[in-house]
Amino acid sequence: MPRFMTALLAATAMGIVSANAADLPIKAPPPPLVPAVPFYTWTGFYVGAAGGYGWGRATQTDSTPFSSGRYDTNGGIIGGTLGYNWQLGPAVLGLETDLSWASISGSTIGTNPPSGTCGARHCASRIQAFGTVRGRLGYAWQNFMPYITGGLAYANVHGEEGNGGPPGAFGSGESWMAGWTVGAGIEAKFAPNWSGKIEYLYADLGSKGVFTDRIPAVGRFTENLDVTAQMVRVGVNYHF
């Protein structure tokens, strides 16, 4: 009898436990893991390459007096970039320098008689190299960073003149010119260490004597060039 009672009590207890377990709610499976949005930091050094298209205006003058009038220039540009960024919250402060080969050129027959004409379309100028040292101020929004920029611009400029008729002025030469530049752009990281950008710059290189104009039986005169340029460049940067 005791053995029978013990077995009966054990079976009853197991039944009660099973019934209670059946009444418990079924726990839902955990939600699937959602990949985190990558964190992009802009702080650090970077190097890159950029190229694009430039257009502008040039004027040649001397003390005879002579002026070619303003004429259009245009051409390509390609070169390298070096910079550093400091990110402070969403604000990004940067310093960037670049140097490029360029061929932004044009010519004219002159438009200002009686001060003179260039003749045979041979008043000409060409930006042969272009560089900048600029500050940048950007706003980081995930992997995108629009920015404004400005600072020093400098260029190697070639000029020439060769009139086809009297007074037969001729001459050519080149010189480095310096001025200022402002612009804006947007840069976007497409990988943790890589970004692409597109930017616009306006540069005013001022006025400077670039070459000597020789007029037979009259003398030699310094020929001044006044040069401005605009450009749109696209580029890619590697961030360390």
Side-chain angles (χ1 to χ4, degrees), residues 61-96:
T61 59
D62 61 39
S63 60
T64 53
F66 166 77
S67 173
S68 66
R70 295 187 70 80
Y71 57 92
D72 294 332
T73 60
N74 59 78
I77 182 170
I78 186 168
T81 303
L82 174 67
Y84 187 85
N85 289 321
W86 298 267
Q87 183 169 352
L88 304 171
V92 180
L93 306 177
L95 181 64
E96 182 173 288

Side-chain angles (χ1 to χ4, degrees), residues 116 123 147 180 211 218 231:
C123 273
Y147 62 89
W180 54 269
F211 65 95
V218 178
M231 57 195 69

Side-chain angles (χ1 to χ4, degrees), residues 27-221:
K27 187 177 181 180
L33 295 177
V34 178
V37 177
F39 174 74
Y40 293 95
T41 178
W42 293 91
T43 296
F45 285 99
Y46 61 90
V47 296
Y53 181 77
W55 66 98
R57 296 285 186 89
T59 306
Q60 295 176 214
T61 59
D62 61 39
S63 60
T64 53
F66 166 77
S67 173
S68 66
R70 295 187 70 80
Y71 57 92
D72 294 332
T73 60
N74 59 78
I77 182 170
I78 186 168
T81 303
L82 174 67
Y84 187 85
N85 289 321
W86 298 267
Q87 183 169 352
L88 304 171
V92 180
L93 306 177
L95 181 64
E96 182 173 288
T97 182
D98 58 80
L99 182 60
S100 300
W101 168 88
S103 184
I104 303 174
S105 61
S107 62
T108 183
I109 59 173
T111 58
N112 286 311
S115 69
T117 62
C118 297
R121 292 189 64 81
H122 208 62
C123 273
S125 68
R126 180 174 67 254
I127 295 177
Q128 304 181 129
F130 179 81
T132 71
V133 179
R134 295 174 284 116
R136 299 201 310 171
L137 175 60
Y139 182 86
W141 182 63
Q142 295 183 4
N143 61 317
F144 290 93
M145 185 184 68
Y147 62 89
I148 56 175
T149 183
L152 170 72
Y154 59 96
N156 182 265
V157 180
H158 174 87
E160 61 183 56
E161 182 177 348
N163 290 359
F170 67 95
S172 65
E174 62 186 55
S175 180
W176 287 93
M177 302 176 65
W180 54 269
T181 182
V182 294
I186 185 168
E187 190 169 357
K189 286 197 172 184
F190 55 86
N193 295 96
W194 291 93
S195 66
K197 71 176 182 179
I198 181 170
E199 69 179 5
Y200 163 84
L201 292 178
Y202 174 86
D204 188 331
L205 298 170
S207 178
K208 184 180 179 181
V210 172
F211 65 95
T212 299
D213 201 9
R214 295 173 288 277
I215 303 178
V218 178
R220 297 169 176 258
F221 302 88

